[in-house]
Amino acid sequence: ANCSRLTLQPKDYKCCNFGVRSQGQGAPAMQQEGQCSMHAKDAQRAAVKVCAAAADAPSTSGRAIPIDTATVRRVKLRTQKNCELAVSVYPMFAYNALGGGGWATVTDEGQGIVRVQFDADGLVIPPLCWKTASIFGVPIPPPLNIAIKPQRLEGTMNTITGEVNLNFDAEFEFTAGPLYKAPPLVVKTLLTTGTTQGRFRKATGSPVVNGVGKLVGAATVEKTGDAFMDTFLMLPTDALAIMVADFAFE
């Protein structure tokens, strides 16, 4: 705030003719100003309070995520179409996760950092199927379907730098039509805008800027106990997720 512009105006005090000169409206200006000295002091004190309040108000300028962390209460995550998934030594899946997401509560932790906790029951992540996933531009065969069941998604967001770190737990349920259903693959990872690395792959995310960021996470997938699945995926092995998402605060 530019406090130098805060000035006392005649209209602010109707009880006297403040600052009125020889216009037939009362005593000379100097006398009237003396009569209003109390009001002038009040106005000066009020101006100081306004300046102090402006100085104390949190500034969002220059922040990667320009929000007032003290007043924001929730955030909506929306996954985008240009995501990727990989498991073991197999090629990366191009994954269209458009339409997924959910709401999280937001808690101010100070220093521009907020903690977010998503409602796992309300999180929606589209399954990998012939409509959403492909390898080298070829959709995966229609009988195959991998449903993603989130168990936990929570962590912190730095509104100054745009850095995000979210703990993500989920079960991946692999089915091939009605004939085959494997035990769920349990995945626990840190989705981060920084760098993640497993045995086979490494990826780097990007901070949230203008509401959009890229989160990456590597995880070790343990054996399921199903002979076919454990052999096919060479479990235990690595998995990598690359998620592009936008965040809308309110």
Side-chain angles (χ1 to χ4, degrees):
N2 187 351
C3 299
S4 64
R5 292 190 176 185
L6 293 171
T7 57
L8 182 66
Q9 300 296 327
K11 64 180 180 181
D12 293 335
Y13 298 101
K14 298 180 180 179
C15 60
C16 57
N17 298 319
F18 187 84
V20 178
R21 296 192 179 273
S22 300
Q23 297 177 4
Q25 298 185 29
M30 289 299 293
Q31 179 182 350
Q32 291 168 26
E33 289 173 2
Q35 291 172 347
C36 296
S37 60
M38 179 179 68
H39 291 154
K41 291 179 180 178
D42 289 344
Q44 186 178 24
R45 285 193 291 267
V48 170
K49 289 181 180 180
V50 171
C51 290
D56 291 339
S59 173
T60 60
S61 62
R63 293 191 179 193
I65 306 174
I67 61 169
D68 180 357
T69 58
T71 59
V72 165
R73 291 294 175 263
R74 63 177 189 162
V75 60
K76 186 173 186 178
L77 164 73
R78 293 175 293 199
T79 52
Q80 301 301 305
K81 62 181 180 180
N82 47 336
C83 301
E84 296 178 89
L85 286 171
V87 61
S88 190
V89 296
Y90 294 106
M92 294 283 290
F93 287 94
Y95 173 43
N96 182 352
L98 193 65
W103 287 96
T105 57
V106 176
T107 305
D108 184 11
E109 294 200 336
Q111 304 299 316
I113 296 175
V114 294
R115 175 162 292 278
V116 295
Q117 183 169 5
F118 288 84
D119 175 14
D121 293 333
L123 271 177
V124 176
I125 302 180
L128 279 81
C129 62
W130 67 273
K131 293 181 179 180
T132 61
S134 62
I135 299 178
F136 301 129
V138 179
I140 64 175
L144 302 181
N145 187 86
I146 304 175
I148 304 173
K149 306 295 184 182
Q151 306 296 311
R152 178 173 72 135
L153 183 62
E154 61 183 44
T156 59
M157 302 182 70
N158 189 320
T159 63
I160 298 173
T161 64
E163 178 185 359
V164 179
N165 291 290
L166 301 176
N167 291 298
F168 178 59
D169 299 350
E171 293 183 348
F172 287 63
E173 299 178 350
F174 182 95
T175 58
L179 302 178
Y180 176 74
K181 180 178 180 179
L185 301 175
V186 178
V187 174
K188 296 183 178 182
T189 187
L190 177 69
L191 291 173
T192 178
T193 53
T195 298
T196 188
Q197 184 168 4
R199 285 189 299 167
F200 305 124
R201 291 180 174 87
K202 178 180 180 180
T204 300
S206 58
V208 175
V209 178
N210 296 324
V212 181
K214 181 171 73 173
L215 285 76
V216 297
T220 298
V221 183
E222 301 294 344
K223 288 186 176 183
T224 65
D226 181 271
F228 171 76
M229 182 59 62
D230 291 351
T231 302
F232 177 67
L233 294 180
M234 294 172 278
L235 301 178
T237 191
D238 285 353
L240 175 68
I242 299 175
M243 182 181 76
V244 178
D246 67 55
F247 298 84
F249 289 84
E250 62 178 45

